[in-house]
Amino acid sequence: MRAADRASPHAGVRVLDLRTPAETERADARLRDIWRAGEAPVPANLLRTVQHTGGYVFGAYDASGAMVAVSMGLLATHPGQPALHSPHPAVLPGGQRRGLGYAETPHRRGWARSHRLPPIPPPGRPPGPPHRALNP
């Protein structure tokens, strides 16, 4: 069993590719909810652009089917090698502290492997007040 398959049930979520405009619109709304902002920090049209250019755009859904987290990764180059630059997932307050990062990380690493990208190092915690609330 893959690490992602083991981790997702532990967190009570399914991590799925966001494939349609409706799903990226839902992610846009979810990001506005998480960041408590009038505009999403990453709007739906940018999420679609990341998808169309081969990037990572996924949502974590709870048992009721509600999207509780959004994660995006950009294709990048690190020391001359292709790589996936991917920050921590943005998680609704009610979804925090249940292992969503634990569930999303092996999924993201598996995705990178399937796209022939090198292993993803453990991410650093980005600075700033919004991240403290999202990733305590």
Side-chain angles (χ1 to χ4, degrees), residues 50 53-56 72-87 108-109 111-122:
V50 170
T53 59
Y56 177 91
M72 177 189 84
L74 301 170
L75 293 178
T77 302
H78 291 281
Q81 289 190 328
L84 179 66
H85 172 73
S86 181
R108 181 172 19 96
R109 287 182 177 155
W111 182 92
R113 223 178 1 265
S114 74
H115 287 78
R116 299 175 193 246
L117 297 172
I120 298 171

Side-chain angles (χ1 to χ4, degrees), residues 80-102:
Q81 289 190 328
L84 179 66
H85 172 73
S86 181
H88 292 284
V91 181
L92 280 174
Q96 294 173 7
R97 302 267 186 224
R98 28 187 271 206
L100 287 168
Y102 175 74

Side-chain angles (χ1 to χ4, degrees), residues 2-129:
R2 296 179 352 194
D5 295 333
R6 289 189 304 272
S8 292
H10 168 76
V13 296
R14 291 177 303 128
V15 180
L16 302 172
D17 185 4
L18 303 181
R19 297 175 184 248
T20 68
E23 290 169 334
T24 54
E25 288 291 337
R26 201 169 307 124
D28 174 299
R30 191 58 59 232
L31 288 167
R32 278 185 270 127
D33 293 342
I34 292 165
W35 285 79
R36 298 179 188 103
E39 293 184 29
V42 184
N45 62 341
L46 182 54
L47 291 169
R48 293 292 291 166
T49 300
V50 170
Q51 289 174 319
H52 287 297
T53 59
Y56 177 91
V57 182
F58 283 76
Y61 295 84
D62 67 13
S64 74
M67 185 185 295
V68 295
V70 177
S71 185
M72 177 189 84
L74 301 170
L75 293 178
T77 302
H78 291 281
Q81 289 190 328
L84 179 66
H85 172 73
S86 181
H88 292 284
V91 181
L92 280 174
Q96 294 173 7
R97 302 267 186 224
R98 28 187 271 206
L100 287 168
Y102 175 74
E104 192 270 342
T105 297
H107 186 275
R108 181 172 19 96
R109 287 182 177 155
W111 182 92
R113 223 178 1 265
S114 74
H115 287 78
R116 299 175 193 246
L117 297 172
I120 298 171
R125 219 170 265 217

